[in-house]
Structures are given as structure tokens and as C-alpha cells.
């Protein structure tokens, strides 16, 4: 067993980019692996439902060319977590196509391991009938056979086990479908005989790149080093430093409990952690504990089309309109609904958002409004794109010419920055599956394919 294992995280999201000098500094430290996360549900269910990436192909390819070249030239594995953004089959295949393009210009033919995270409806339906699926949040719709039939691209977050298998099979490039964010990092430590608690805690820190440094960013490199009873984190850009506060603070990132982190088949107990200044802008962490749970649960994610959206962005400068905006919106909405009595009212929604006037906190805003103009976004969400666009066009024209009390001009009420003003967004997705599924004993359904 090596005395220490070094893992280079180039950025918080593949395709976000990173300073080349920072990456070179990391490679000088002779890391045992390069690991990068490529997915997130931060933007909601659209990427999973639509089968599109979070970043552009150009951005992903730009990062990957650097990472693949470095990994192959130094004979260390490159691991990509949640490939393509949502980690479903279309996203993984998109990532593999980019990798193929890059490798076509290189002499090396590396061993590629692909770990699929997709589940078909029949499998989920069986688990549902056996009572092995439960909701993660009360806001998530109940999972029923009907909603399941409307759902596609179902994935689950894998733990470190299938990634460990790929490393054991000496895969040089490992492309993971949807993964628990720290798992690809943790797999490197565990594969090399390091403590699982330290490996997972370090993975939690490294998954976001240099966001744990000061100043923090996801668009820079970070190096993690696992030792026998601790790990260290250090920035690779001289303009950033890791402090005990910044690293400890990032430990709280995206957690519902201050010192417990739940993962696939385990929980991470951080109640006894210590964060120490290790000098030269690095931090040493100890005390992380990996605790196996009685049952092995994985998080399921699935999306279905909920509706279709058309929206308009406009500016308002008239102080009389701004002062009475809510009442005017209510009147305009009532008029539009009355105009479309042939469309069931329950089949569409009209929403208004005032950017510049309580758009962020809404009713919870404590500061009095003092602006002289606002940006108005109004949207129509309906069962069909045709209905959404028709209602939105009427909403826009009605608002544009609405004669409110005190109006001094018959000119338009709205200033449009773009033409055409009405923008068809297309399908609106919802997480129809955002649940936990208990796996059967000794079951590990994630499939490794070696190319």
C-alpha cells in the first residue's frame, strides 16, 4: 500500500474550464488519478428529461483533450462522474463520442470502462410493487405505475463499488453514468487501500474543484492527498489558498445535516473531524468515519414531460404601472382567461416575475422597493406548445395595451429587448422520480462495459 494517494480534481464540472498552469502544477505533484465530476441536478430535471448536456460539446472537448492527454502520458486513470450532465444513456453516449473524436487523433488505444446507471421501467415497477421505493421529499409526486409509464431516462446514483471494479480491471479511462458525486474520487482511495471515510470525505471536498479554497471557484484545480489517518487539500493556483474555515465550510455544502452525509449503502460521520492548518495554504483533515448502513439504498432520478412553456421578457419604466403592477397583472390575467374559455383553465398557468422588485425572495423580501424600473417576465405553461404560445401572445398584447387608471399615454406599456418577443421554450420537465430504492441483498445493478 502506498503511503499516500494523490487525486487531482481539475474543476467542479467537466467543461467549466481551468487554468492550464494550475493543472500543470497538479501534474507536477504526480497524482495517482485525475477525477472530474460532470453532472448535477442543480438546474432541475430538464437535462435528464431532454437528454442534453449541461455544457456544450466544445467546452467538454476542450477540457477532455487536456485531461486525456495528461492521463495517457503519465499512465494514470481518468475517471469521469455523471457523464454528460445527467448520466443517462444519451449523456454517456454523447461523452463517449467526444472521447472517440479525441482518441482518433492519438496513437494510444486506452482501455475504456463504461458504467451504465440506467434502469428500465419494468425493473422500477417491480421494486415499487415490492415496497422498496420511497420518496426523498414530500414535494415529490407519488410514484405510481401511471407516472412511471410517463417517465423515461431513469438513472440511479452509483456508489464506489462499480468504479472500483473498473479500476481492478485496469481501465484507463472510466466513464460513469449517474454517480453519487464523491464516489469516483472515493473509489481511487479505496482501490489503493486507503480508509473509506477519509476517501469519501475527500471526495466530497474535491468534487467542486477549487470551491473549497479562498477565493473559491469551480473553475480551477485542487489536489487531495489521502494518508493513513488524514487527508490534505491544497489549491494549485498561487492566487488561492485553502483555510480551515474554507474547507470546513465546504464540508457543509449541499447537506441536510451538519455532520452526517448519507450515501449509497453507508453514512459518513463527520462529528469527530478536525481541520488543521498544514501550512503553505493547505489544510489537513482527520476523524472522518465511514459507517455501513443496514440496507443499501440508491437515489433514483427520472423525468417526464409536465407541460410546454412560452415566455416573454419586457421592461417597465412607468412609475404608475410599477406601483400597481400586481393589480394590473390580475386584471390582465382575468381578461386573457376569459378570452380562452375554450381551453380548460386547469390545463394552463399564467405566471409573472418582477426582476428588480422582489423577484428573488418574493413575499419574504424585507427591504422596501425603491427602484424606478423593473424587468417583467411572464410565462404561460400549458398542456401543449400551441396553447402556451397562443395564450402567451394574447397575454403579451393585452398587457402591452392595457388601459390602467392614471395612464397618461396610449403607447405600449412594455419595452421589448428582443424581436420576436415571444420565446417558445418547449417541453417543461418535472422529476417524476426523486426517490430512494432499496437494493436486494448482494445486488449491484450498475453494469460495467469494457471497450
Amino acid at each position: 500500500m502506498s503511503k499516500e494517494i494523490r487525486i487531482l480534481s481539475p474543476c467542479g464540472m467537466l467543461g467549466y474550464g481551468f487554468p492550464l498552469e494550475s493543472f500543470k502544477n497538479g501534474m507536477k505533484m504526480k497524482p495517482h488519478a485525475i477525477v472530474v465530476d460532470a453532472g448535477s441536478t442543480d438546474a432541475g430535471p430538464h437535462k435528464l428529461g431532454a437528454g442534453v448536456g449541461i455544457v456544450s460539446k466544445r467546452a467538454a472537448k476542450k477540457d477532455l483533450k487536456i485531461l486525456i492527454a495528461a492521463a495517457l502520458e503519465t499512465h494514470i486513470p481518468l475517471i469521469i462522474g455523471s457523464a454528460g450532465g445527467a448520466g443517462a444513456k444519451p449523456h454517456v453516449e454523447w461523452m463517449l463520442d467526444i472521447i472517440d473524436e479525441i482518441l482518433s487523433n492519438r496513437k494510444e488505444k486506452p482501455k475504456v470502462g463504461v458504467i451504465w446507471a440506467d434502469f428500465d421501467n419494468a425493473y422500477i415497477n417491480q421494486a415499487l410493487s415490492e415496497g422498496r421505493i420511497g420518496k426523498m421529499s414530500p414535494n415529490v409526486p407519488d410514484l405510481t405505475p401511471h407516472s412511471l409509464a410517463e417517465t423515461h431516462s431513469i438513472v440511479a446514483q452509483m456508489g464506489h463499488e462499480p468504479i472500483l471494479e473498473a479500476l481492478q480491471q485496469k481501465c484507463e479511462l472510466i466513464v460513469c453514468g449517474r454517480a453519487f458525486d464523491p464516489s469516483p474520487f472515493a473509489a481511487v482511495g479505496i482501490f489503493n487501500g486507503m480508509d473509506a471515510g477519509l476517501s469519501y470525505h475527500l471526495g466530497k471536498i474535491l468534487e467542486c474543484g477549487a470551491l473549497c479554497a479562498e477565493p473559491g471557484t469551480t473553475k480551477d484545480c485542487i489536489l487531495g492527498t489521502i494518508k493513513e489517518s488524514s487527508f490534505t487539500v491544497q489549491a494549485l493556483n498561487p492566487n488561492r489558498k485553502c483555510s480551515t474555515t474554507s474547507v470546513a465550510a465546504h464540508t457543509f455544502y449541499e447537506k441536510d445535516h451538519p455532520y452526517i452525509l448519507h450515501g449509497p449503502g453507508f453514512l459518513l460521520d463527520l462529528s469527530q473531524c478536525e481541520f488543521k492548518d498544514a501550512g503553505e495554504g493547505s489544510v489537513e483533515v482527520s476523524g472522518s468515519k465511514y459507517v455501513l448502513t443496514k440496507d443499501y439504498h440508491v437515489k433514483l432520478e427520472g423525468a417526464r414531460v409536465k407541460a410546454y412553456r412560452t415566455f416573454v421578457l419586457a421592461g417597465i419604466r412607468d412609475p404608475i404601472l410599477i406601483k400597481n403592477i400586481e393589480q394590473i397583472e390580475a386584471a390582465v390575467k382575468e381578461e386573457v382567461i376569459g378570452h380562452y374559455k375554450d381551453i380548460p383553465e386547469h390545463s394552463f398557468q399564467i405566471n409573472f416575475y418582477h426582476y428588480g422588485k422582489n423577484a428573488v425572495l418574493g413575499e419574504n423580501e424585507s427591504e422596501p422597493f425603491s427602484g424606478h424600473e423593473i424587468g417583467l417576465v411572464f410565462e404561460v405553461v400549458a398542456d401543449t406548445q400551441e396553447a402556451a404560445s397562443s395564450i402567451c401572445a394574447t397575454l403579451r398584447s393585452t398587457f402591452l395595451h392595457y388601459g390602467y387608471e392614471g395612464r397618461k399615454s396610449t403607447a405600449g406599456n412594455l419595452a421589448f429587448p428582443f424581436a420576436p418577443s415571444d420565446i417558445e421554450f418547449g417541453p417543461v420537465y418535472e422529476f417524476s422520480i426523486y426517490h430512494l430504492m432499496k437494493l436486494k441483498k448482494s445486488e449491484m445493478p450498475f453494469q460495467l462495459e469494457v471497450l
Side-chain angles (χ1 to χ4, degrees), residues 9-39:
S9 172
C11 53
M13 179 75 66
L14 181 66
Y16 274 11
F18 47 86
L20 188 56
E21 284 304 311
S22 295
F23 184 74
K24 289 179 178 178
N25 289 338
M27 292 305 298
K28 289 176 183 176
M29 306 293 287
K30 297 184 178 180
H32 295 81
I34 302 169
V35 185
V36 62
D37 187 17

PDB file of all heavy atoms in Angstrom, residues 9-39:
ATOM      1  N   SER A   9      -8.248  17.059  -8.967  1.00  0.00           N
ATOM      2  CA  SER A   9      -9.565  17.484  -9.451  1.00  0.00           C
ATOM      3  C   SER A   9      -9.377  18.766 -10.246  1.00  0.00           C
ATOM      4  O   SER A   9      -9.060  19.810  -9.680  1.00  0.00           O
ATOM      5  CB  SER A   9     -10.512  17.724  -8.270  1.00  0.00           C
ATOM      6  OG  SER A   9     -11.721  18.316  -8.706  1.00  0.00           O
ATOM      7  N   PRO A  10      -9.567  18.720 -11.578  1.00  0.00           N
ATOM      8  CA  PRO A  10      -9.260  19.894 -12.393  1.00  0.00           C
ATOM      9  C   PRO A  10     -10.277  21.019 -12.288  1.00  0.00           C
ATOM     10  O   PRO A  10      -9.929  22.190 -12.456  1.00  0.00           O
ATOM     11  CB  PRO A  10      -9.215  19.331 -13.814  1.00  0.00           C
ATOM     12  CG  PRO A  10     -10.077  18.115 -13.764  1.00  0.00           C
ATOM     13  CD  PRO A  10      -9.918  17.547 -12.396  1.00  0.00           C
ATOM     14  N   CYS A  11     -11.540  20.677 -12.020  1.00  0.00           N
ATOM     15  CA  CYS A  11     -12.583  21.699 -11.935  1.00  0.00           C
ATOM     16  C   CYS A  11     -13.838  21.069 -11.332  1.00  0.00           C
ATOM     17  O   CYS A  11     -13.916  19.847 -11.184  1.00  0.00           O
ATOM     18  CB  CYS A  11     -12.893  22.298 -13.311  1.00  0.00           C
ATOM     19  SG  CYS A  11     -13.279  21.088 -14.594  1.00  0.00           S
ATOM     20  N   GLY A  12     -14.807  21.890 -11.016  1.00  0.00           N
ATOM     21  CA  GLY A  12     -16.015  21.391 -10.383  1.00  0.00           C
ATOM     22  C   GLY A  12     -17.016  20.782 -11.336  1.00  0.00           C
ATOM     23  O   GLY A  12     -17.944  20.102 -10.912  1.00  0.00           O
ATOM     24  N   MET A  13     -16.831  21.014 -12.623  1.00  0.00           N
ATOM     25  CA  MET A  13     -17.724  20.456 -13.639  1.00  0.00           C
ATOM     26  C   MET A  13     -16.957  20.354 -14.943  1.00  0.00           C
ATOM     27  O   MET A  13     -16.421  21.355 -15.425  1.00  0.00           O
ATOM     28  CB  MET A  13     -18.952  21.345 -13.816  1.00  0.00           C
ATOM     29  CG  MET A  13     -19.929  20.865 -14.879  1.00  0.00           C
ATOM     30  SD  MET A  13     -20.923  19.456 -14.357  1.00  0.00           S
ATOM     31  CE  MET A  13     -21.878  20.213 -13.059  1.00  0.00           C
ATOM     32  N   LEU A  14     -16.875  19.166 -15.512  1.00  0.00           N
ATOM     33  CA  LEU A  14     -16.194  18.999 -16.789  1.00  0.00           C
ATOM     34  C   LEU A  14     -16.819  19.925 -17.817  1.00  0.00           C
ATOM     35  O   LEU A  14     -18.031  19.910 -18.036  1.00  0.00           O
ATOM     36  CB  LEU A  14     -16.314  17.545 -17.254  1.00  0.00           C
ATOM     37  CG  LEU A  14     -15.614  17.222 -18.569  1.00  0.00           C
ATOM     38  CD1 LEU A  14     -14.111  17.362 -18.434  1.00  0.00           C
ATOM     39  CD2 LEU A  14     -15.979  15.824 -19.038  1.00  0.00           C
ATOM     40  N   GLY A  15     -15.979  20.759 -18.427  1.00  0.00           N
ATOM     41  CA  GLY A  15     -16.472  21.739 -19.387  1.00  0.00           C
ATOM     42  C   GLY A  15     -16.495  23.147 -18.836  1.00  0.00           C
ATOM     43  O   GLY A  15     -16.655  24.105 -19.592  1.00  0.00           O
ATOM     44  N   TYR A  16     -16.315  23.293 -17.519  1.00  0.00           N
ATOM     45  CA  TYR A  16     -16.249  24.632 -16.925  1.00  0.00           C
ATOM     46  C   TYR A  16     -14.917  25.314 -17.230  1.00  0.00           C
ATOM     47  O   TYR A  16     -14.806  26.525 -17.177  1.00  0.00           O
ATOM     48  CB  TYR A  16     -16.441  24.553 -15.409  1.00  0.00           C
ATOM     49  CG  TYR A  16     -17.883  24.563 -14.965  1.00  0.00           C
ATOM     50  CD1 TYR A  16     -18.927  24.403 -15.863  1.00  0.00           C
ATOM     51  CD2 TYR A  16     -18.201  24.729 -13.622  1.00  0.00           C
ATOM     52  CE1 TYR A  16     -20.239  24.402 -15.443  1.00  0.00           C
ATOM     53  CE2 TYR A  16     -19.521  24.741 -13.203  1.00  0.00           C
ATOM     54  CZ  TYR A  16     -20.533  24.569 -14.105  1.00  0.00           C
ATOM     55  OH  TYR A  16     -21.840  24.586 -13.676  1.00  0.00           O
ATOM     56  N   GLY A  17     -13.888  24.502 -17.510  1.00  0.00           N
ATOM     57  CA  GLY A  17     -12.575  25.057 -17.788  1.00  0.00           C
ATOM     58  C   GLY A  17     -11.742  25.247 -16.536  1.00  0.00           C
ATOM     59  O   GLY A  17     -12.260  25.246 -15.415  1.00  0.00           O
ATOM     60  N   PHE A  18     -10.429  25.403 -16.729  1.00  0.00           N
ATOM     61  CA  PHE A  18      -9.498  25.578 -15.618  1.00  0.00           C
ATOM     62  C   PHE A  18      -8.212  26.187 -16.160  1.00  0.00           C
ATOM     63  O   PHE A  18      -7.880  26.007 -17.345  1.00  0.00           O
ATOM     64  CB  PHE A  18      -9.193  24.228 -14.933  1.00  0.00           C
ATOM     65  CG  PHE A  18      -8.869  23.120 -15.900  1.00  0.00           C
ATOM     66  CD1 PHE A  18      -7.576  22.926 -16.367  1.00  0.00           C
ATOM     67  CD2 PHE A  18      -9.871  22.270 -16.355  1.00  0.00           C
ATOM     68  CE1 PHE A  18      -7.275  21.916 -17.261  1.00  0.00           C
ATOM     69  CE2 PHE A  18      -9.581  21.250 -17.268  1.00  0.00           C
ATOM     70  CZ  PHE A  18      -8.282  21.075 -17.715  1.00  0.00           C
ATOM     71  N   PRO A  19      -7.477  26.929 -15.335  1.00  0.00           N
ATOM     72  CA  PRO A  19      -6.199  27.495 -15.791  1.00  0.00           C
ATOM     73  C   PRO A  19      -5.200  26.377 -16.081  1.00  0.00           C
ATOM     74  O   PRO A  19      -4.988  25.487 -15.244  1.00  0.00           O
ATOM     75  CB  PRO A  19      -5.745  28.359 -14.613  1.00  0.00           C
ATOM     76  CG  PRO A  19      -6.974  28.606 -13.810  1.00  0.00           C
ATOM     77  CD  PRO A  19      -7.826  27.390 -13.979  1.00  0.00           C
ATOM     78  N   LEU A  20      -4.592  26.429 -17.232  1.00  0.00           N
ATOM     79  CA  LEU A  20      -3.648  25.374 -17.619  1.00  0.00           C
ATOM     80  C   LEU A  20      -2.468  25.304 -16.658  1.00  0.00           C
ATOM     81  O   LEU A  20      -1.973  24.208 -16.350  1.00  0.00           O
ATOM     82  CB  LEU A  20      -3.159  25.612 -19.049  1.00  0.00           C
ATOM     83  CG  LEU A  20      -2.314  24.500 -19.677  1.00  0.00           C
ATOM     84  CD1 LEU A  20      -3.054  23.168 -19.657  1.00  0.00           C
ATOM     85  CD2 LEU A  20      -1.919  24.872 -21.103  1.00  0.00           C
ATOM     86  N   GLU A  21      -2.022  26.449 -16.160  1.00  0.00           N
ATOM     87  CA  GLU A  21      -0.889  26.463 -15.225  1.00  0.00           C
ATOM     88  C   GLU A  21      -1.237  25.744 -13.930  1.00  0.00           C
ATOM     89  O   GLU A  21      -0.398  25.041 -13.355  1.00  0.00           O
ATOM     90  CB  GLU A  21      -0.449  27.899 -14.936  1.00  0.00           C
ATOM     91  CG  GLU A  21       0.348  28.533 -16.061  1.00  0.00           C
ATOM     92  CD  GLU A  21       1.585  27.715 -16.431  1.00  0.00           C
ATOM     93  OE1 GLU A  21       2.335  27.340 -15.518  1.00  0.00           O
ATOM     94  OE2 GLU A  21       1.783  27.439 -17.639  1.00  0.00           O
ATOM     95  N   SER A  22      -2.466  25.914 -13.458  1.00  0.00           N
ATOM     96  CA  SER A  22      -2.891  25.205 -12.239  1.00  0.00           C
ATOM     97  C   SER A  22      -2.845  23.702 -12.474  1.00  0.00           C
ATOM     98  O   SER A  22      -2.386  22.931 -11.617  1.00  0.00           O
ATOM     99  CB  SER A  22      -4.312  25.627 -11.849  1.00  0.00           C
ATOM    100  OG  SER A  22      -4.375  26.980 -11.499  1.00  0.00           O
ATOM    101  N   PHE A  23      -3.330  23.285 -13.638  1.00  0.00           N
ATOM    102  CA  PHE A  23      -3.340  21.857 -13.946  1.00  0.00           C
ATOM    103  C   PHE A  23      -1.923  21.306 -14.034  1.00  0.00           C
ATOM    104  O   PHE A  23      -1.632  20.217 -13.524  1.00  0.00           O
ATOM    105  CB  PHE A  23      -4.103  21.610 -15.247  1.00  0.00           C
ATOM    106  CG  PHE A  23      -4.245  20.163 -15.598  1.00  0.00           C
ATOM    107  CD1 PHE A  23      -5.137  19.359 -14.912  1.00  0.00           C
ATOM    108  CD2 PHE A  23      -3.470  19.589 -16.604  1.00  0.00           C
ATOM    109  CE1 PHE A  23      -5.267  18.009 -15.224  1.00  0.00           C
ATOM    110  CE2 PHE A  23      -3.595  18.251 -16.925  1.00  0.00           C
ATOM    111  CZ  PHE A  23      -4.492  17.461 -16.229  1.00  0.00           C
ATOM    112  N   LYS A  24      -1.051  22.071 -14.663  1.00  0.00           N
ATOM    113  CA  LYS A  24       0.348  21.641 -14.758  1.00  0.00           C
ATOM    114  C   LYS A  24       0.976  21.530 -13.371  1.00  0.00           C
ATOM    115  O   LYS A  24       1.756  20.596 -13.105  1.00  0.00           O
ATOM    116  CB  LYS A  24       1.143  22.612 -15.618  1.00  0.00           C
ATOM    117  CG  LYS A  24       0.811  22.548 -17.106  1.00  0.00           C
ATOM    118  CD  LYS A  24       1.632  23.558 -17.891  1.00  0.00           C
ATOM    119  CE  LYS A  24       1.352  23.469 -19.384  1.00  0.00           C
ATOM    120  NZ  LYS A  24       2.125  24.490 -20.147  1.00  0.00           N
ATOM    121  N   ASN A  25       0.634  22.460 -12.491  1.00  0.00           N
ATOM    122  CA  ASN A  25       1.134  22.390 -11.110  1.00  0.00           C
ATOM    123  C   ASN A  25       0.659  21.110 -10.437  1.00  0.00           C
ATOM    124  O   ASN A  25       1.404  20.468  -9.680  1.00  0.00           O
ATOM    125  CB  ASN A  25       0.676  23.604 -10.316  1.00  0.00           C
ATOM    126  CG  ASN A  25       1.361  24.885 -10.735  1.00  0.00           C
ATOM    127  OD1 ASN A  25       2.448  24.863 -11.318  1.00  0.00           O
ATOM    128  ND2 ASN A  25       0.741  26.021 -10.438  1.00  0.00           N
ATOM    129  N   GLY A  26      -0.573  20.738 -10.706  1.00  0.00           N
ATOM    130  CA  GLY A  26      -1.104  19.499 -10.141  1.00  0.00           C
ATOM    131  C   GLY A  26      -0.413  18.272 -10.680  1.00  0.00           C
ATOM    132  O   GLY A  26      -0.103  17.332  -9.939  1.00  0.00           O
ATOM    133  N   MET A  27      -0.131  18.258 -11.971  1.00  0.00           N
ATOM    134  CA  MET A  27       0.528  17.103 -12.574  1.00  0.00           C
ATOM    135  C   MET A  27       1.966  16.961 -12.090  1.00  0.00           C
ATOM    136  O   MET A  27       2.491  15.837 -12.025  1.00  0.00           O
ATOM    137  CB  MET A  27       0.492  17.213 -14.100  1.00  0.00           C
ATOM    138  CG  MET A  27      -0.898  17.076 -14.714  1.00  0.00           C
ATOM    139  SD  MET A  27      -1.759  15.559 -14.243  1.00  0.00           S
ATOM    140  CE  MET A  27      -0.668  14.297 -14.925  1.00  0.00           C
ATOM    141  N   LYS A  28       2.590  18.070 -11.711  1.00  0.00           N
ATOM    142  CA  LYS A  28       3.945  18.006 -11.154  1.00  0.00           C
ATOM    143  C   LYS A  28       3.964  17.263  -9.814  1.00  0.00           C
ATOM    144  O   LYS A  28       5.004  16.744  -9.401  1.00  0.00           O
ATOM    145  CB  LYS A  28       4.500  19.412 -10.965  1.00  0.00           C
ATOM    146  CG  LYS A  28       4.844  20.134 -12.261  1.00  0.00           C
ATOM    147  CD  LYS A  28       5.291  21.567 -11.987  1.00  0.00           C
ATOM    148  CE  LYS A  28       5.559  22.319 -13.278  1.00  0.00           C
ATOM    149  NZ  LYS A  28       5.909  23.745 -13.027  1.00  0.00           N
ATOM    150  N   MET A  29       2.789  17.204  -9.153  1.00  0.00           N
ATOM    151  CA  MET A  29       2.693  16.501  -7.864  1.00  0.00           C
ATOM    152  C   MET A  29       2.537  14.992  -8.057  1.00  0.00           C
ATOM    153  O   MET A  29       2.419  14.253  -7.094  1.00  0.00           O
ATOM    154  CB  MET A  29       1.499  17.045  -7.071  1.00  0.00           C
ATOM    155  CG  MET A  29       1.508  18.553  -6.890  1.00  0.00           C
ATOM    156  SD  MET A  29       2.851  19.132  -5.847  1.00  0.00           S
ATOM    157  CE  MET A  29       2.294  18.606  -4.247  1.00  0.00           C
ATOM    158  N   LYS A  30       2.539  14.543  -9.311  1.00  0.00           N
ATOM    159  CA  LYS A  30       2.442  13.125  -9.659  1.00  0.00           C
ATOM    160  C   LYS A  30       1.210  12.457  -9.028  1.00  0.00           C
ATOM    161  O   LYS A  30       1.322  11.529  -8.210  1.00  0.00           O
ATOM    162  CB  LYS A  30       3.713  12.378  -9.255  1.00  0.00           C
ATOM    163  CG  LYS A  30       4.952  12.867 -10.004  1.00  0.00           C
ATOM    164  CD  LYS A  30       6.186  12.061  -9.667  1.00  0.00           C
ATOM    165  CE  LYS A  30       7.392  12.551 -10.479  1.00  0.00           C
ATOM    166  NZ  LYS A  30       8.619  11.779 -10.173  1.00  0.00           N
ATOM    167  N   PRO A  31       0.017  12.908  -9.436  1.00  0.00           N
ATOM    168  CA  PRO A  31      -1.202  12.310  -8.881  1.00  0.00           C
ATOM    169  C   PRO A  31      -1.373  10.863  -9.326  1.00  0.00           C
ATOM    170  O   PRO A  31      -0.846  10.449 -10.365  1.00  0.00           O
ATOM    171  CB  PRO A  31      -2.312  13.196  -9.458  1.00  0.00           C
ATOM    172  CG  PRO A  31      -1.739  13.743 -10.721  1.00  0.00           C
ATOM    173  CD  PRO A  31      -0.275  13.950 -10.440  1.00  0.00           C
ATOM    174  N   HIS A  32      -2.107  10.114  -8.526  1.00  0.00           N
ATOM    175  CA  HIS A  32      -2.387   8.719  -8.860  1.00  0.00           C
ATOM    176  C   HIS A  32      -3.613   8.603  -9.765  1.00  0.00           C
ATOM    177  O   HIS A  32      -3.848   7.531 -10.345  1.00  0.00           O
ATOM    178  CB  HIS A  32      -2.605   7.904  -7.587  1.00  0.00           C
ATOM    179  CG  HIS A  32      -1.382   7.796  -6.729  1.00  0.00           C
ATOM    180  ND1 HIS A  32      -0.982   8.797  -5.866  1.00  0.00           N
ATOM    181  CD2 HIS A  32      -0.446   6.811  -6.627  1.00  0.00           C
ATOM    182  CE1 HIS A  32       0.130   8.435  -5.241  1.00  0.00           C
ATOM    183  NE2 HIS A  32       0.477   7.232  -5.689  1.00  0.00           N
ATOM    184  N   ALA A  33      -4.393   9.659  -9.869  1.00  0.00           N
ATOM    185  CA  ALA A  33      -5.576   9.653 -10.734  1.00  0.00           C
ATOM    186  C   ALA A  33      -6.041  11.088 -10.954  1.00  0.00           C
ATOM    187  O   ALA A  33      -5.799  11.979 -10.132  1.00  0.00           O
ATOM    188  CB  ALA A  33      -6.702   8.824 -10.126  1.00  0.00           C
ATOM    189  N   ILE A  34      -6.699  11.292 -12.091  1.00  0.00           N
ATOM    190  CA  ILE A  34      -7.419  12.538 -12.362  1.00  0.00           C
ATOM    191  C   ILE A  34      -8.901  12.189 -12.319  1.00  0.00           C
ATOM    192  O   ILE A  34      -9.348  11.251 -12.991  1.00  0.00           O
ATOM    193  CB  ILE A  34      -7.063  13.112 -13.749  1.00  0.00           C
ATOM    194  CG1 ILE A  34      -5.562  13.375 -13.856  1.00  0.00           C
ATOM    195  CG2 ILE A  34      -7.854  14.393 -14.032  1.00  0.00           C
ATOM    196  CD1 ILE A  34      -5.102  13.688 -15.280  1.00  0.00           C
ATOM    197  N   VAL A  35      -9.651  12.910 -11.520  1.00  0.00           N
ATOM    198  CA  VAL A  35     -11.084  12.633 -11.372  1.00  0.00           C
ATOM    199  C   VAL A  35     -11.851  13.934 -11.545  1.00  0.00           C
ATOM    200  O   VAL A  35     -11.483  14.957 -10.956  1.00  0.00           O
ATOM    201  CB  VAL A  35     -11.404  12.009 -10.000  1.00  0.00           C
ATOM    202  CG1 VAL A  35     -12.877  11.622  -9.935  1.00  0.00           C
ATOM    203  CG2 VAL A  35     -10.523  10.798  -9.723  1.00  0.00           C
ATOM    204  N   VAL A  36     -12.909  13.895 -12.335  1.00  0.00           N
ATOM    205  CA  VAL A  36     -13.711  15.099 -12.564  1.00  0.00           C
ATOM    206  C   VAL A  36     -15.193  14.742 -12.583  1.00  0.00           C
ATOM    207  O   VAL A  36     -15.605  13.760 -13.195  1.00  0.00           O
ATOM    208  CB  VAL A  36     -13.287  15.811 -13.869  1.00  0.00           C
ATOM    209  CG1 VAL A  36     -13.515  14.929 -15.087  1.00  0.00           C
ATOM    210  CG2 VAL A  36     -14.006  17.152 -14.027  1.00  0.00           C
ATOM    211  N   ASP A  37     -15.969  15.541 -11.875  1.00  0.00           N
ATOM    212  CA  ASP A  37     -17.425  15.386 -11.902  1.00  0.00           C
ATOM    213  C   ASP A  37     -17.948  16.062 -13.162  1.00  0.00           C
ATOM    214  O   ASP A  37     -17.394  17.067 -13.622  1.00  0.00           O
ATOM    215  CB  ASP A  37     -18.021  16.037 -10.653  1.00  0.00           C
ATOM    216  CG  ASP A  37     -19.512  15.771 -10.501  1.00  0.00           C
ATOM    217  OD1 ASP A  37     -20.014  14.834 -11.154  1.00  0.00           O
ATOM    218  OD2 ASP A  37     -20.173  16.493  -9.734  1.00  0.00           O
ATOM    219  N   ALA A  38     -19.018  15.516 -13.730  1.00  0.00           N
ATOM    220  CA  ALA A  38     -19.570  16.101 -14.959  1.00  0.00           C
ATOM    221  C   ALA A  38     -21.076  16.293 -14.881  1.00  0.00           C
ATOM    222  O   ALA A  38     -21.702  16.614 -15.886  1.00  0.00           O
ATOM    223  CB  ALA A  38     -19.223  15.217 -16.158  1.00  0.00           C
ATOM    224  N   GLY A  39     -21.673  16.090 -13.703  1.00  0.00           N
ATOM    225  CA  GLY A  39     -23.128  16.144 -13.637  1.00  0.00           C
ATOM    226  C   GLY A  39     -23.670  16.879 -12.439  1.00  0.00           C
ATOM    227  O   GLY A  39     -22.948  17.181 -11.492  1.00  0.00           O
TER     228      GLY A  39
END
